[in-house]
Amino acid sequence: MQSSNAINYDYTVAKYFTISAIVLGIVGMSVGVLIAFQLAFPELNNMFGEYGTFGRLRPIHTDGVAFGFTVSGIFATWFYVGQRVLKVSMAESKFLMFIGKLQFWLYIIGVAVAVVSLLLGYTTSKEYAEFEWPVDIAIVVVWVLWGISIFGLIGIRREKVLYISVWYYIATFLGVAMLYVFNNMEVPTYFVSGMGNWFHSVSMYAGSNDAMVQWWYGHNAVAFVFTVPIIAMIYYFLPKESGQPVFSYKLSLLSFWGLMFVYLWAGGHHLLYSTVPDWVQTMASIFSIILILPSWGSAINMLLTMKGEWGQLKENPLVKFYVLASTFYMLSTLEGPIQAIKSVNALAHFTDWIPGHVHDGTLGWVGFMIIGGIFHMAPRMYKREIFSKKLVEAQFWLQTTGIVMYFTSMWIAGITQGMMWRATDQYGNLAYSFIDTVEVLHPYWTLRAVGGSFYLIGVFMWAYNIYKTATSSKAIEKEPQYATPMA
Amino acid sequence: MFHWLEKNPFFFTVGVFLVIAYAGIVTILPDFMESARPLKGTKPYTALQIAGRQVYIANGCNTCHSQLIRPFKSETDRYGKYSLSGEYAYDRPFLWGSRRIGPDLHRVGNYRTTDWHENHMLNPAAVVPGSIMPKYGFMFKKDIDFKTAYAEAKTVQKVFDVPYDKPGMPKLGTYDEAKKAAYKDAGKIVANMKNQEIKDAYKNGNIREIVALIAYLNGLK
Amino acid sequence: MDMELIRNIQGWGYVSMIFIITIGLYAYIYHLYKSQREGVKDYEKYSNMALKDDIDDSLVEAKDPQKDEKDNEER
């Protein structure tokens, strides 16, 4: 069938977003490591005047890794996986090619404006939605362009049935669109009053309504940015890299609907013991427990895909990344519902256990899938072997150590602080002043920051490896079918 | 029915959207109609307090401090009466926070004073040894953006009917009136501060960020 | 509408949703396994969309069989 004018997949846009995933990963995680050290060594707050304090930098870290690193990774993998499973090339449509490039450049402009405005202190204060309205508009436009890409590519596809990954990408597109728009409803004050800073806005919602919408968003943004698209990735990369068909395709279809139905119902659990009605809270807890099943459906499916092929784990470091990612996914989807149980939440809420939980999901599951996914894509996009297998191995172990240090120290810190806040002496008075509960955390915070640094060093190794792969590694003639070739 | 969904991207998409949207509507919408009624005695922020609140938000104080006292004895002993929904009726955005790296501040106005804040914000560890809160010296040098504060107050008054200028409620008025009133409010705070630079700036008609921030913190009760 | 009514509707919204989820998901399981067993549809072959995803690989299920044949002839 091969002939001279055969079409090939066109990875131009996938390459663009690969670069932005790497760069923004480095930026976002460096800021993360800095603010982690700030908690242990507060003098570090004073390095850049008002622009270097913990409160200013934290949104740059969270948004940087969520909307920078992760979303770039989602786009990069979509522009790679999408073409392949639909068996259609971007080169076949000038229009889609243009939209893809436009999406990238607008995204980059949006990111730049977002970072600068957050540094200057323009923020709505709502977590993972800190951007002020002009940036929000840019984000909406980028998202719509992505939608055009998805449905445009689907429109010209050759495969009749959509592969399960495409389902998950579609769900990501819809879910984020809806959540983002509703949570960011705001009124720019300049246009109403005719004075003041034109960047500033006030929320459409007040008080507990605002909180309710925010945590509905906060919880589900985690679903649709950190879970759904990452499942899309693993359903492609793990089978492809290992050469094993998905253990049960039927189970994958079922878990998809399970996840869609149940996840969105559990949003209220972030509000336990606040002023939200009792029964809503109870319902939310119950649903978050039911949620374990469909979420594990996908993870178990992935692990079983490797059944009888565990030898690959020794030979292929990328399989290691994917398998460990699904293990962390199982861990954090178990931990989440546990934290949603009322009595556990009473202890855990407001403590370091929460960031601990977030990070075993994001570092272990999201980070490893994006890193591993891009390792798989690189030789196919750049037509060269991975520059160094040893470096991949070293990165894997360094980052795994970092993650373990991170979440164990945060678990201990969180539970310690939660217990100390409520501890009483023999007369029923509070046993500790607040500052006691801060000072005790110093060793754990130090350990956490070191763990985070390990992970960050791993990201630098990844960047270097990909850079070398793209520029100077040994060329490959024929695209490898399964396992990624490494030097 | 299932076959049909699986190979029909358009209806598949609609299906997913309905599932997501339905969950959103049922979990969120009803509570909208209920909450948000202010408690008796809850008043909107003065323009100066809004300026302070904007300083609070711009510097991400909410990344380390919650403003939500939960109904447990250990919390009410430490911070005071537990929080009620109606108390937040004028909070746009809400500032409950998600992490208590520092203590809750919902009722900090009950037990901390202007001069305590003055010393603490300049160098927290000097007041509370072992504190990891950043130093906020720059707030002593930077003026507030009163226009934006007024713009926010005017906007919520116009768009959301926040009851400024109603009997028993804070006065807002025109920009010039509001500015005069804020200047007067700020004077009461400056009088309790020691920093000479701030007093001088005030005499020249300038209100520093720290003054507005303290006005806001003192109002948290 | 008074608040009690709204709360009632919300409660029913929840209950009916649980109902639909349970029935729907179990019906779906049944449907998947029955179609596979009776040979109506082989779901497992769709895994190949990831494994054989080269642009020249044969399609698992062509969207438009005729157009595709023409495609191939042209090449």
Side-chain angles (χ1 to χ4, degrees), chain A residues 99-130:
Chain A
I99 294 288
K101 287 181 182 167
L102 183 66
Q103 181 194 342
F104 175 78
W105 290 111
L106 272 180
Y107 171 80
I108 293 298
I109 294 171
V111 167
V113 177
V115 171
V116 173
S117 65
L118 288 179
L119 269 180
L120 294 176
Y122 297 146
T123 162
T124 66
S125 90
K126 294 198 202 177
E127 278 179 74
Y128 325 116
E130 282 94 349

Side-chain angles (χ1 to χ4, degrees), chain B residues 99-167:
Chain B
R99 174 72 183 90
R100 267 185 202 149
I101 294 170
D104 192 278
L105 297 179
H106 194 203
R107 310 209 187 279
V108 69
N110 288 335
Y111 46 84
R112 297 290 181 213
T113 55
T114 299
D115 74 317
W116 191 89
H117 287 308
E118 181 182 6
N119 295 325
H120 182 253
M121 293 301 293
L122 194 60
N123 187 357
V127 178
V128 182
S131 176
I132 59 151
M133 179 162 141
K135 296 176 180 148
Y136 284 103
F138 63 85
M139 287 182 188
F140 289 67
K141 306 224 158 69
K142 213 172 146 191
D143 287 332
I144 58 169
D145 177 0
F146 188 72
K147 277 208 171 98
T148 305
Y150 179 79
E152 181 175 326
K154 199 76 206 164
T155 304
V156 293
Q157 182 188 30
K158 268 195 196 161
V159 181
F160 304 111
D161 278 334
V162 170
Y164 286 113
D165 301 325
K166 300 258 163 71

Side-chain angles (χ1 to χ4, degrees), chain B residues 20-170:
Chain B
I20 303 173
Y22 181 75
I25 289 169
V26 177
T27 38
I28 299 278
L29 214 58
D31 297 277
F32 260 81
M33 307 183 182
E34 184 159 55
S35 19
R37 234 162 272 145
L39 231 57
K40 249 199 207 102
T42 304
K43 288 181 185 169
Y45 298 103
T46 66
L48 184 67
Q49 285 172 332
I50 289 186
R53 199 165 187 272
Q54 288 176 349
V55 173
Y56 186 96
I57 290 171
N59 289 289
C61 308
N62 52 296
T63 58
C64 284
H65 292 285
S66 60
Q67 288 191 24
L68 177 74
I69 304 167
R70 298 179 295 168
F72 306 137
K73 184 165 183 305
S74 57
E75 300 221 343
T76 51
D77 280 3
R78 198 182 288 279
Y79 305 117
K81 203 166 93 6
Y82 60 83
S83 307
L84 297 171
S85 185
E87 295 179 88
Y88 301 104
Y90 301 116
D91 276 21
R92 282 172 204 271
F94 79 108
L95 292 173
W96 294 359
S98 62
R99 174 72 183 90
R100 267 185 202 149
I101 294 170
D104 192 278
L105 297 179
H106 194 203
R107 310 209 187 279
V108 69
N110 288 335
Y111 46 84
R112 297 290 181 213
T113 55
T114 299
D115 74 317
W116 191 89
H117 287 308
E118 181 182 6
N119 295 325
H120 182 253
M121 293 301 293
L122 194 60
N123 187 357
V127 178
V128 182
S131 176
I132 59 151
M133 179 162 141
K135 296 176 180 148
Y136 284 103
F138 63 85
M139 287 182 188
F140 289 67
K141 306 224 158 69
K142 213 172 146 191
D143 287 332
I144 58 169
D145 177 0
F146 188 72
K147 277 208 171 98
T148 305
Y150 179 79
E152 181 175 326
K154 199 76 206 164
T155 304
V156 293
Q157 182 188 30
K158 268 195 196 161
V159 181
F160 304 111
D161 278 334
V162 170
Y164 286 113
D165 301 325
K166 300 258 163 71
M169 290 293 171

